Amino acid sequence: MKTGISVSKGYAVGKAYVLDTEQPASFQTTADNPGVQADRLKRALEKSKEQIEEIAAGIRERLDSRNAEIIESHLNFLKDPAFIGEAFSKIDRESVSAEKAVDDVTQSLYDTFSGFDDDYMKERAADIQDVGTRIIRNLAGEQKEFDFRQLPAGTVLFAHDLKPSDTAQICRDNVCAIVTETGGETSHTAILAKALGIPAMVGCKEILSSVQTGTTVVVDGTAGEILVNPGTDLVNQYLTRIEQEKQQKEKVACFARKKIFTKEGRRILTFANIGGLKDLEIALENGAEGVGLFRTEFLFMDRGTMPTEEEQFRVYKEAAKRLDRKTLTIRTLDIGGDKSLPYLKMEKESNPFLGLRAIRLCLKNPEIFETQLRAILRASVYGNIRVMFPMISCMDEFQRAKSVLDSCKQQLEQKGVPFDSSIKIGMMIEIPSAALLAEKFAKQVDFFSIGTNDLIQYTLAVDRMNERISDLYNPLHPAVLRLIQMTISAALQAGIPCCMCGELASDERAIPLLLQYGLNEFSVSPGVLAEIKSVLLQSVGS
Ligand code: PEP
Ligand code: MG
């Protein structure tokens, strides 16, 4: 039995396919004629651009816009002055071959990115290397794309590491599990596998020396185990588990479209948490009655530059239209803490979760904040959008955020651009100070959304990312429950909606209690919507 980090739960039994991740062949490092080398590099860049566009178009055909965007972000690297600009200068300055120039700048940027403490930044090193290898292979005329569609159904994909352009092409129809030797929780592989609902394990050291293409394997993404060449009994045990899991999913699927009312006739809404349009599709398939949390930071990640107002507007507009007047709660950028952006210079902090994160960062960077708010406002005429500020800790912060929104409204008004002038403005309750002052906040805002993931960590002083103290991360701690109850009561008293978008909203143990407190909106991961609806229906006794 082999182990690793489980990043997407579930079981799979299948045949291994070991992806060949050969390095490009060696190349000549020096060259006499810089002009010739520069021309070669220009042609290789053009070829790389065509290949990336072709891969992205294939992914878009599968309506997978999030992964298409990841790959399209590679196009930015092809014109990045710190990357390609530097390669051209090197050719000129140092009389090196185009391959050597690209290899050097790739390595230097790779080292910079992998030197960051932050896991997210480390993962961006993979994007740089992916693009660098592609260009070098094109210079040598040897770049050939692996066609993931040729994999037979029931393939367990094994790789040392999957390049972002690989992961984006993987499809649920033929790949039933993914195992890599490297990678962490925030790797492309992890994000993709979760979105597709494919069991996945990363960080499985030296696993490739234990499997060959064609070997039968079991991946237990729930227990974090891989069984290579398991006996028939084990295979049968897992096939039974897979069948049971499937039946359970089918059993609860019938609850997806049900409307929930309590005995007293209170309507309970089930919303989805999304990170992009792909998740929204899954959410709607699973009967989401709206979106309780759009984590917009995902639009800003996995790319080389800040998304423009126009790009953001297009996504928000599309989401609003697809929701067809159902609520779309757009949370403004929550960067900082464990999430950073490669193109945004941020100073190293000793306590990033207590530092310049979310609304604090936006208020310090008005240009980023205003761009996003204008995009949200412009999209608001296409559906039922409400805007939500994360990490509000005091009234002043909320008022400042609101006045930036007001000034964006004015800017649009002056230009005659339409927007919903009565757009609802809400805040996350995810810091104890906000919960304690919920009564005051409830008089100023249009809605609350309780972010238990952070509320728990800040109430109990337990880092939500630290495995070593995970036993202290107790969602049912009486202090946490007290703060939740206070928040819901304050909302009910003021007559404003209160949602919960933290993980506790999908915790079966907490649901009856939350209903009792008076919570009316539950926002959960798209994949568990039907299951949570069935728990809610049971809890209200229908
Ligand atoms: C939360 O803190 O509960 C929440 C929903 O926000 P995030 O997990 O994105 O911090
Ligand atoms: Mg949070």
Side-chain angles (χ1 to χ4, degrees):
M1 183 184 70
K2 307 279 170 195
T3 56
I5 308 165
S6 168
V7 288
S8 179
K9 291 191 168 55
Y11 312 107
V13 175
K15 294 267 185 227
Y17 183 90
V18 182
L19 197 66
D20 176 15
T21 44
E22 251 177 74
Q23 290 305 306
S26 58
F27 46 77
Q28 176 135 8
T29 53
T30 52
D32 300 332
N33 191 332
V36 171
Q37 296 305 315
D39 281 347
R40 288 182 65 228
L41 181 52
K42 271 185 213 148
R43 281 196 300 276
L45 290 174
E46 205 41 55
K47 183 103 195 106
S48 304
K49 182 167 169 269
E50 282 164 20
Q51 288 162 348
I52 294 170
E53 281 170 346
E54 199 179 310
I55 297 173
I59 300 168
R60 276 208 188 277
E61 259 171 40
R62 296 184 348 226
L63 292 177
D64 183 355
S65 27
R66 178 148 147 212
N67 277 308
E69 278 157 23
I70 292 181
I71 293 312
E72 279 159 356
S73 75
H74 286 193
L75 293 172
N76 295 327
F77 288 124
L78 299 180
K79 13 181 214 221
D80 187 340
F83 183 43
I84 295 308
E86 179 55 20
F88 276 112
S89 317
K90 245 179 185 307
I91 290 175
D92 219 27
R93 272 195 328 260
E94 299 172 22
S95 299
V96 290
S97 68
E99 286 92 336
K100 170 83 174 135
V102 174
D103 195 37
D104 282 357
V105 289
T106 304
Q107 197 54 49
S108 144
L109 282 174
Y110 180 86
D111 291 345
T112 309
F113 276 89
S114 31
F116 283 106
D117 283 342
D118 180 296
D119 281 348
Y120 173 76
M121 295 298 268
K122 277 196 182 124
E123 294 296 342
R124 302 295 68 77
D127 290 291
I128 303 275
Q129 199 160 48
D130 193 347
V131 179
T133 308
R134 177 179 297 283
I135 302 168
I136 294 174
R137 286 205 155 129
N138 279 326
L139 280 164
E142 60 174 50
Q143 172 70 21
K144 48 183 186 316
E145 293 300 336
F146 178 75
D147 186 359
F148 284 85
R149 287 166 303 184
Q150 75 178 37
L151 294 172
T155 296
V156 176
L157 190 62
F158 282 81
H160 173 66
D161 192 14
L162 284 171
K163 297 197 298 289
S165 54
D166 294 335
T167 51
Q169 295 179 77
I170 291 169
C171 174
R172 232 185 335 200
D173 297 343
N174 47 3
V175 175
C176 63
I178 304 172
V179 180
T180 61
E181 290 191 322
T182 59
E185 298 270 354
T186 56
S187 59
H188 289 284
T189 309
I191 294 168
L192 170 102
K194 267 189 222 153
L196 293 181
I198 298 176
M201 309 251 313
V202 299
C204 305
K205 294 200 176 68
E206 293 171 17
I207 187 76
L208 297 192
S209 54
S210 323
V211 280
Q212 277 150 8
T213 295
T215 312
T216 300
V217 284
V218 164
V219 177
D220 184 337
T222 305
E225 293 168 2
I226 301 151
L227 313 173
V228 180
N229 273 324
T232 323
D233 285 354
L234 267 176
V235 166
N236 287 337
Q237 265 179 37
Y238 273 95
L239 288 175
T240 311
R241 281 194 208 178
I242 291 169
E243 188 51 35
Q244 282 167 347
E245 212 181 35
K246 197 171 138 221
Q247 281 175 11
Q248 175 63 15
K249 279 209 173 117
E250 279 165 10
K251 202 170 120 204
V252 296
C254 62
F255 297 116
R257 313 271 151 207
K258 291 220 167 173
K259 287 201 162 98
I260 307 172
F261 291 92
T262 62
K263 286 231 162 60
E264 309 76 51
R266 226 172 77 214
R267 175 87 160 89
I268 305 297
L269 290 165
T270 44
F271 290 161
N273 295 344
I274 63 165
L277 295 174
K278 167 90 185 157
D279 300 354
L280 179 56
E281 267 157 48
I282 304 173
L284 288 172
E285 272 166 29
N286 292 345
E289 294 171 284
V291 166
L293 169 64
F294 184 169
R295 288 186 166 101
T296 56
E297 49 276 13
F298 286 106
L299 305 180
F300 291 67
M301 288 151 74
D302 292 312
R303 46 184 297 144
T305 53
M306 192 74 74
T308 61
E309 181 180 320
E310 208 50 38
E311 279 176 276
Q312 291 187 57
F313 164 66
R314 276 201 300 266
V315 178
Y316 305 148
K317 173 182 161 187
E318 185 62 27
K321 281 172 73 178
R322 284 197 208 173
L323 277 158
D324 192 20
R325 300 300 310 168
K326 292 190 185 94
T327 301
L328 169 59
T329 315
I330 304 184
R331 180 175 76 181
T332 57
L333 191 60
D334 182 356
I335 285 294
D338 61 324
K339 298 181 195 129
S340 45
L341 302 176
Y343 47 85
L344 183 68
K345 198 169 161 4
M346 285 169 69
E347 286 187 16
K348 203 168 155 37
E349 297 176 302
S350 44
N351 284 307
F353 273 108
L354 304 180
L356 196 65
R357 183 188 160 189
I359 198 70
R360 303 168 181 185
L361 184 132
C362 282
L363 290 171
K364 279 236 161 30
N365 291 277
E367 223 182 280
I368 299 175
F369 197 31
E370 286 183 17
T371 303
Q372 180 171 42
L373 291 174
R374 277 195 305 268
I376 296 173
L377 284 169
R378 285 172 55 199
S380 65
V381 288
Y382 294 93
N384 181 15
I385 291 183
R386 55 185 194 179
V387 61
M388 175 160 79
F389 300 127
M391 285 273 294
I392 296 286
S393 66
C394 60
M395 190 60 78
D396 176 57
E397 235 166 1
F398 176 74
Q399 298 297 4
R400 284 171 57 209
K402 191 163 173 271
S403 65
V404 180
L405 183 73
D406 287 340
S407 102
C408 290
K409 284 182 179 176
Q410 271 173 18
Q411 291 168 25
L412 294 180
E413 229 160 43
Q414 277 162 10
K415 287 192 187 151
V417 179
F419 62 90
D420 172 7
S421 56
S422 53
I423 190 167
K424 299 271 182 287
I425 309 164
M427 64 182 274
M428 299 273 299
I429 301 279
E430 53 184 344
I431 297 183
S433 60
L436 290 164
L437 294 180
E439 254 180 53
K440 278 203 156 77
F441 279 114
K443 295 193 180 107
Q444 305 295 325
V445 308
D446 295 319
F447 67 95
F448 284 156
S449 189
I450 307 176
T452 52
N453 308 343
D454 279 312
L455 187 63
I456 298 165
Q457 83 162 342
Y458 293 132
T459 305
L460 305 179
V462 176
D463 180 350
R464 67 193 251 196
M465 312 291 284
N466 189 339
E467 296 258 311
R468 285 187 296 174
I469 46 167
S470 58
D471 56 324
L472 291 173
Y473 188 88
N474 176 11
L476 302 176
H477 191 293
V480 174
L481 294 178
R482 179 87 63 90
L483 292 173
I484 291 171
Q485 190 178 19
M486 284 172 67
T487 306
I488 299 171
S489 298
L492 287 173
Q493 218 170 12
I496 60 165
C498 183
C499 181
M500 179 176 284
C501 59
E503 288 300 309
L504 194 67
S506 50
D507 187 328
E508 286 187 30
R509 300 166 304 171
I511 286 176
L513 194 61
L514 296 172
L515 284 167
Q516 206 184 310
Y517 288 166
L519 189 73
N520 293 335
E521 295 177 6
F522 290 73
S523 193
V524 303
S525 203
V528 299
L529 264 166
E531 207 175 314
I532 294 310
K533 274 199 169 179
S534 90
V535 178
L536 280 164
L537 282 162
Q538 256 173 25
S539 308
V540 297
S542 50

